[in-house]
Amino acid sequence: MTEIEFAWTALGGDPALVPRVSVVERAGTLPARLPVSRLARACVGACALAAAELGARRAGLGRVPGAEVDDGAVAAAFHSERLLRVDGRAPVAFAPLSRFWRTADGWVRTHANYPHHRARLLRALDLPEDVPVAEAAARIAERSAPEVEDTVHRAGGLAVALRTPREWAEHGQAAEVAARPLVERERLDTSPARVPSPLDPAAARLLPAAGLRVLDLTRVLAGPVATRTLALLGADVLRLDPPRSPELPDQHADTGFGKRSATLDLTTGRDTLEELLAAADVVVTGYRPGTLDRFGLSPEALAERHPGLVVAQVSAWGAYGPWGGRRGFDSLVQAVTGIAVTEGSAERPGALPAQALDHGTGYLLAAAVLRALTERSYDGGGRLVRLALARTAHWLTDGMPPARAGGGAGYEGPDAWLVETGSRLGRLRHALPPVSFTGGPAGWARPPVPWGSDPARWE
């Protein structure tokens, strides 16, 4: 079974459609010891096929259009946050305190890009606000890696001890992750099919998600990649954030293509939230499992009040197991699951050539939403789809043959898949979308907008 077939089957797709995907292989994309390029190709290819399938369904076509996945386009897209330029300025990928640190017995990986995570990290380690990196390194080196992990976690911060593949395999969360499918899929209710406004065949083939409304309650990076993809396919995507927790500007610009951006305090804006939910087709959440439940946003509560919704959730560790309620990011999952050891050296841990867990999971999440919409069009009923970065990591490390030399033409860099677009944020250089199928869109209908600049209502 090829990787694309595995991903497509995990999404509940008909294996007979897999030959509709053609692949342009390019040697040298996403080089790594692990088969990262094959994972990336599979996630994007499955997403392109899901888009083509939904378009064929809505257009009343008897045959699903062909989909194409080009390794060059995929590699550029998986580096999108690094390739972005705003008026010629390169973004800052990681803050100074987001890095590997030596400890008394090994290494820890921290994440402190957001101000509140930085503050919690410093408070947990009893470090001053203006601490130099060298001083922080000296203080952390006095402690054990498990001690740093536990202390920072209790303070609400983000730090994990580096683990080997064997050490992770012996962890309770690893067993829970391995026991779950790559894509968790459930039916939430048996409501009649929600039928969006009809589309003529040409429009449906071009924009399979046109007329569908997606409420985007996600944060960097997998969730926003998924909703950016749904916006590419014509969905009206409204990104909703807490008014006092702005997204990192460059992250927002990179993942904001095709979307609108609004703020809403869910504690005081419940009526507005319910109005948005009543008219939505899809709700995508990317917060720590359980965080949004108190606002009536658990899948069960949504299905009870708004039957027929497609609910999509993504998290770092999964909504189960001893780490089910923990915060996490791609870099931390790489450190914990043994990826950083596999990709590193005897002197220092390494990393994948891109935040491939985030990007790959994002395209799989978009594909899961598209497939749920297709299934809903036949028999109605709301759907729940769930993915986790740690489960995608398990597929990469334990579900694929080792990396091998790529075939096809050589990869000469991302320039062929970069374009410039004007926006209210400035002149943007950015990666083109990698999701491609016959008759599909070549780019987004609108550039990103400033964070929180739109009203919290549907167009």
Side-chain angles (χ1 to χ4, degrees):
M1 180 183 291
T2 67
E3 287 85 9
I4 292 178
E5 185 176 358
F6 179 84
W8 183 246
T9 302
L11 292 162
D14 180 358
L17 293 177
V18 173
R20 304 297 298 153
V21 183
S22 61
V23 176
V24 179
E25 293 191 20
R26 299 182 188 274
T29 60
L30 301 173
R33 294 182 180 128
L34 291 166
V36 181
S37 61
R38 300 209 310 272
L39 177 138
R41 180 192 302 154
C43 294
V44 172
C47 186
L49 184 56
E53 179 192 38
L54 178 61
R57 170 64 176 166
R58 296 189 68 189
L61 303 179
R63 181 176 173 82
V64 173
E68 180 180 280
V69 55
D70 187 311
D71 284 353
V74 171
F78 271 55
H79 286 108
S80 65
E81 75 279 4
R82 304 181 191 182
L83 294 171
L84 178 75
R85 297 293 183 271
V86 182
D87 290 331
R89 176 185 58 79
V92 177
F94 286 100
L97 297 185
S98 295
R99 48 169 282 183
F100 279 107
W101 308 82
R102 275 199 179 276
T103 63
D105 60 349
W107 294 87
V108 293
R109 183 67 164 85
T110 57
H111 194 288
N113 285 3
Y114 286 101
H116 58 291
H117 290 155
R118 182 181 188 276
R120 292 169 185 170
L121 175 68
L122 294 174
R123 185 167 60 250
L125 299 176
D126 195 25
L127 295 171
E129 172 66 25
D130 58 350
V131 63
V133 170
E135 181 180 332
R139 296 279 287 277
I140 292 174
E142 298 171 353
R143 305 186 182 206
S144 71
E147 179 191 357
V148 174
E149 179 181 277
D150 291 342
T151 300
V152 175
H153 168 64
R154 288 197 301 270
L158 291 134
V160 296
L162 180 74
R163 289 169 172 81
T164 65
R166 176 175 292 182
E167 287 169 340
W168 174 242
E170 295 171 351
H171 194 282
Q173 189 65 25
E176 292 280 354
V177 166
R180 297 303 202 284
L182 178 63
V183 181
E184 297 181 72
R185 303 162 53 245
E186 298 178 24
R187 185 161 179 165
L188 288 174
D189 57 67
T190 58
S191 62
R194 293 164 64 101
V195 181
S197 302
L199 298 177
D200 65 73
R205 289 184 64 176
L206 174 65
L207 298 171
L212 299 171
R213 289 170 168 168
V214 177
L215 191 60
D216 178 0
L217 298 163
T218 68
R219 304 287 275 186
V220 59
L221 183 60
V225 166
T227 51
R228 181 181 67 186
T229 303
L230 297 175
L232 168 74
L233 301 173
D236 178 10
V237 179
L238 179 62
R239 162 97 181 232
L240 207 59
D241 284 292
R244 289 173 291 280
S245 299
E247 181 60 283
L248 301 172
D250 292 336
Q251 299 275 10
H252 179 73
D254 173 55
T255 59
F257 284 89
K259 308 179 189 179
R260 293 179 296 118
S261 173
T263 63
L264 182 68
D265 186 330
L266 299 186
T267 302
T268 59
R270 295 296 290 273
D271 290 344
T272 300
L273 176 63
E274 286 303 308
E275 290 174 5
L276 292 171
L277 291 169
D281 293 279
V282 180
V283 177
V284 186
T285 67
Y287 288 77
R288 183 166 49 99
T291 300
L292 299 177
D293 289 3
R294 68 184 186 277
F295 303 112
L297 291 169
S298 70
E300 298 75 17
L302 286 171
E304 182 177 350
R305 301 196 316 281
H306 304 286
L309 271 176
V310 172
V311 181
Q313 297 183 327
V314 62
S315 63
W317 311 107
Y320 42 75
W323 280 22
R326 289 204 178 201
R327 300 171 176 86
F329 291 93
D330 182 306
S331 59
L332 304 185
V333 177
Q334 288 190 41
V336 164
T337 58
I339 290 174
V341 170
T342 300
E343 296 293 336
S345 66
E347 292 74 32
R348 187 174 179 83
L352 299 177
Q355 293 193 73
L357 304 180
D358 262 331
H359 285 276
T361 305
Y363 288 108
L364 281 177
L365 186 66
V369 169
L370 296 168
R371 289 242 58 257
L373 290 167
T374 298
E375 292 177 344
R376 191 184 72 172
S377 72
Y378 285 99
D379 57 10
R383 299 303 204 273
L384 169 64
V385 295
R386 277 194 178 119
L387 286 96
L389 304 189
R391 183 59 183 84
T392 304
H394 178 71
W395 182 31
L396 176 66
T397 58
D398 294 86
M400 295 185 188
R404 59 179 183 269
Y411 178 59
E412 298 180 356
D415 288 354
W417 294 277
L418 298 178
V419 296
E420 289 198 0
T421 300
S423 77
R424 291 160 58 190
L425 300 174
R427 189 74 183 171
L428 305 178
R429 188 197 76 172
H430 61 93
L432 287 166
V435 174
S436 176
F437 55 95
T438 303
W444 290 273
R446 66 175 99 194
V449 298
W451 181 83
S453 60
D454 291 300
R457 63 171 181 264
W458 298 115
E459 288 187 326

